[in-house]
Amino acid sequence: MGRSGKGTLPARAGPAVVLVRPQLAENIGMAARAMLNCGLSELRLVAPREGFPDLRATRAASGADEVLEAASVFPDLASAVADLHRVIATSARPREMTQRMVNPRQAARECAAAAAAGQRVGVLFGPERTGLENDDLAFADTLLSIPLNPQFSSLNLAQAVLLVAYEWSQTVFEASDETLVVNSSRPAERAELHNLFEHLERELDASGFLRVPEKRPGMVRNIRAMLQRAHLTEQEVRTFHGIVSELSRKRRGGPERD
Amino acid sequence: MGRSGKGTLPARAGPAVVLVRPQLAENIGMAARAMLNCGLSELRLVAPREGFPDLRATRAASGADEVLEAASVFPDLASAVADLHRVIATSARPREMTQRMVNPRQAARECAAAAAAGQRVGVLFGPERTGLENDDLAFADTLLSIPLNPQFSSLNLAQAVLLVAYEWSQTVFEASDETLVVNSSRPAERAELHNLFEHLERELDASGFLRVPEKRPGMVRNIRAMLQRAHLTEQEVRTFHGIVSELSRKRRGGPERD
């Protein structure tokens, strides 16, 4: 059923993305791109209005050709979901039916758990203008609602696919850790930091430390990165100013302290 | 600094989105839409190539006008971040500098924690084609990398903004829970379920239960939703077939059991 054999995707099977009566071929392509970004490969299309394949879809996919080439087209939703064990329907509006409702993170957990148990899951996305109809939702065991700004929740089709696929991907791709502990006292503002950088670099220029022109930009960047990693407090910035001034004073032949 | 006063956004201050030398006005608009979807309102533009404001940005914003109208334009990155306490730079590629690197979820946690402490945070996004340069990254205390399919990680600018903004929004908007417990034995396939639905509806039609035509579609949907909520196993589907058959046999005047 349209699984990619090119070996560029993670081993764990992700959910199938089922676009129900998509209106614009371009959105099919953008959805395919978002899927492949997140490691999903199985695209199912139910009665796409502009037909399929379509050059506009291919262009919008920006290179996610393997997803489009492996996509399956179905005449109706019943046949598109027939071999699945779980069907999750995206829905912005609350409906009169009583169904399970989950958010994308919980849906991703359930997709991962189902895949681990060898079950096939599909996530349904409705037409751009109207979303899924009640008759479509009746094919699903679970509804998926993306919690967004209630005053401005209208999401482009490909963006909805991206968010759902992204949450799934986070169960698969290793999430990088944070590395350094953050100081809890009041951090310096950027302007304060940049004053310090400029002070230090001025003195380093004067001392000859930054004398090789072709090396200077990289050295400055690394010094700034190093100091920013320290998450300096406003107090520490002032201390550092004092250190730079003190060191420079001595080099310039100012009076020695006793 | 360009905060919206229209009261449609969550009370907790989100990070500023800083688009560094964006190339296409359309992408500024799409980024603004993604921001407002996720409850972010503060957009800062550094030297946008096509100028700003721009009608193409407004059209692409699909109604997120309040974000564009409140946006600030800066000639360089230094002035755009001068009043911030924390600067997080999105970066796809590993760089030679040693900096903290976090994923979007961790970045969202840090943005929320900083906001709770009254600190201002900005997230930098680079130009579409090239991303942020090393000189841009030197303004940041932390790098943000979105873990994606390593073979296909190129993300549209607005999609990158969406993912980062979405993770932040999930720290603010209430995430809906799952509600019903899932049976752990082998679930029925959809085709098995639909056979059961059709069997039941055939018998309910014959019995007169679904005799009011204008009520039939809603009743059928609700019956299907109710049964799907049960997450029936394959065994339970067969049991249910038996129940339907048994009830129908008696109504049709078949032999009474003793």
Side-chain angles (χ1 to χ4, degrees):
Chain A
M1 189 55 77
R3 289 201 180 74
S4 167
K6 294 191 185 168
T8 65
L9 296 166
R12 187 195 291 174
V17 169
V18 185
L19 303 186
V20 181
R21 302 183 301 280
Q23 299 177 291
L24 300 178
E26 188 188 21
N27 285 336
I28 297 173
M30 287 167 58
R33 178 184 181 181
M35 287 173 61
L36 193 56
N37 279 148
C38 300
L40 292 183
S41 61
E42 189 178 353
L43 176 61
R44 302 181 181 199
L45 305 172
V46 177
R49 192 182 68 177
E50 300 191 322
F52 188 84
D54 186 296
L55 189 60
R56 289 164 293 186
T58 306
R59 269 198 299 258
S62 299
D65 297 347
E66 65 189 272
V67 175
L68 293 181
E69 286 163 11
S72 312
V73 181
F74 297 87
D76 53 44
L77 184 50
S79 54
V81 302
D83 66 320
L84 303 177
H85 298 98
R86 292 283 314 275
V87 177
I88 299 174
T90 57
S91 176
R93 289 163 288 167
R95 309 297 180 122
E96 65 265 31
M97 286 181 285
T98 309
Q99 286 180 292
R100 294 181 71 233
M101 172 87 81
V102 298
N103 63 14
R105 198 155 297 171
Q106 175 62 18
R109 284 187 209 110
E110 296 185 11
C111 286
Q119 298 174 10
R120 290 180 292 280
V121 183
V123 183
L124 314 185
F125 296 84
E128 289 87 336
R129 200 172 292 247
T130 57
L132 293 167
E133 297 177 2
N134 282 348
D135 285 334
D136 302 320
L137 298 183
F139 282 93
D141 54 81
T142 301
L143 301 187
L144 191 173
S145 177
I146 305 178
L148 292 170
N149 181 352
Q151 265 88 28
F152 192 77
S153 61
S154 154
L155 210 55
N156 170 282
L157 174 57
Q159 288 174 312
V161 170
L162 176 65
L163 291 183
V164 171
Y166 165 77
E167 282 285 7
W168 179 78
S169 77
Q170 299 309 289
T171 69
V172 176
F173 298 122
E174 192 178 4
S176 64
D177 309 294
E178 67 166 309
T179 48
L180 298 171
V181 177
V182 181
N183 190 314
S184 63
S185 68
R186 137 142 158 64
E189 295 194 359
R190 311 308 293 184
E192 294 164 342
L193 266 183
H194 288 133
N195 280 343
L196 175 62
F197 294 159
E198 280 168 15
H199 181 190
L200 175 61
E201 289 153 18
R202 204 161 50 236
E203 292 298 344
L204 291 176
D205 276 325
S207 78
F209 183 77
L210 297 174
R211 67 185 169 278
V212 184
E214 62 270 31
K215 288 190 177 174
R216 190 185 186 283
M219 292 176 75
V220 165
R221 277 201 304 265
N222 282 317
I223 291 168
R224 289 186 175 207
M226 180 179 67
L227 290 176
Q228 289 190 94
R229 235 175 31 246
H231 290 281
L232 295 175
T233 63
E234 185 273 339
Q235 171 62 48
E236 288 169 333
V237 166
R238 278 188 284 132
T239 304
F240 214 117
H241 272 294
I243 291 172
V244 173
S245 298
E246 190 70 9
L247 294 176
S248 311
R249 192 177 55 76
K250 191 168 177 185
R251 176 178 47 73
R252 282 174 176 158
E256 292 275 334
R257 297 264 167 101
D258 62 354
Chain B
M1 192 56 76
R3 289 201 181 74
S4 167
K6 293 190 185 168
T8 66
L9 295 166
R12 187 195 293 175
V17 168
V18 185
L19 303 186
V20 181
R21 301 183 301 278
Q23 298 178 291
L24 301 178
E26 187 189 21
N27 285 337
I28 297 173
M30 288 167 58
R33 178 184 180 180
M35 287 172 61
L36 194 55
N37 279 148
C38 300
L40 293 183
S41 62
E42 189 178 353
L43 176 61
R44 302 181 181 199
L45 305 171
V46 177
R49 192 184 66 178
E50 301 190 321
F52 188 84
D54 186 297
L55 189 59
R56 289 164 293 185
T58 306
R59 269 198 299 260
S62 299
D65 297 347
E66 65 189 271
V67 175
L68 293 181
E69 286 163 11
S72 311
V73 181
F74 298 87
D76 52 44
L77 184 51
S79 54
V81 302
D83 67 320
L84 302 177
H85 298 98
R86 292 283 313 275
V87 176
I88 300 174
T90 57
S91 176
R93 289 163 288 167
R95 309 296 181 124
E96 64 263 32
M97 285 181 286
T98 308
Q99 285 180 294
R100 293 182 71 234
M101 171 87 79
V102 297
N103 62 15
R105 198 155 299 171
Q106 175 62 18
R109 284 187 210 110
E110 296 184 11
C111 286
Q119 298 173 9
R120 291 180 293 279
V121 183
V123 183
L124 315 184
F125 295 85
E128 289 87 335
R129 199 172 293 246
T130 57
L132 293 168
E133 296 177 1
N134 282 347
D135 284 334
D136 302 319
L137 298 184
F139 282 93
D141 55 80
T142 301
L143 301 187
L144 192 173
S145 177
I146 305 178
L148 292 171
N149 181 351
Q151 264 88 28
F152 193 78
S153 61
S154 155
L155 210 55
N156 169 281
L157 174 58
Q159 288 174 312
V161 171
L162 176 65
L163 291 182
V164 171
Y166 164 77
E167 283 285 7
W168 179 78
S169 77
Q170 299 310 290
T171 69
V172 176
F173 299 123
E174 193 177 4
S176 64
D177 309 294
E178 66 165 310
T179 48
L180 298 170
V181 177
V182 181
N183 190 314
S184 63
S185 66
R186 136 139 158 69
E189 294 194 358
R190 310 309 293 183
E192 294 165 341
L193 267 184
H194 288 132
N195 280 343
L196 175 62
F197 294 159
E198 280 169 14
H199 182 190
L200 175 62
E201 289 153 17
R202 205 161 50 236
E203 293 298 345
L204 290 176
D205 276 325
S207 77
F209 183 77
L210 298 173
R211 64 185 172 277
V212 184
E214 61 270 32
K215 289 190 178 174
R216 190 184 186 284
M219 292 176 75
V220 165
R221 276 201 304 264
N222 282 317
I223 290 168
R224 289 186 175 207
M226 180 179 66
L227 290 176
Q228 289 190 94
R229 238 180 22 252
H231 289 281
L232 295 176
T233 62
E234 184 272 341
Q235 170 62 48
E236 289 169 331
V237 167
R238 278 189 283 132
T239 304
F240 214 117
H241 273 293
I243 292 171
V244 173
S245 297
E246 191 71 10
L247 294 175
S248 311
R249 192 177 55 77
K250 190 166 177 184
R251 177 177 48 71
R252 283 175 175 159
E256 292 275 331
R257 297 266 166 99
D258 61 355

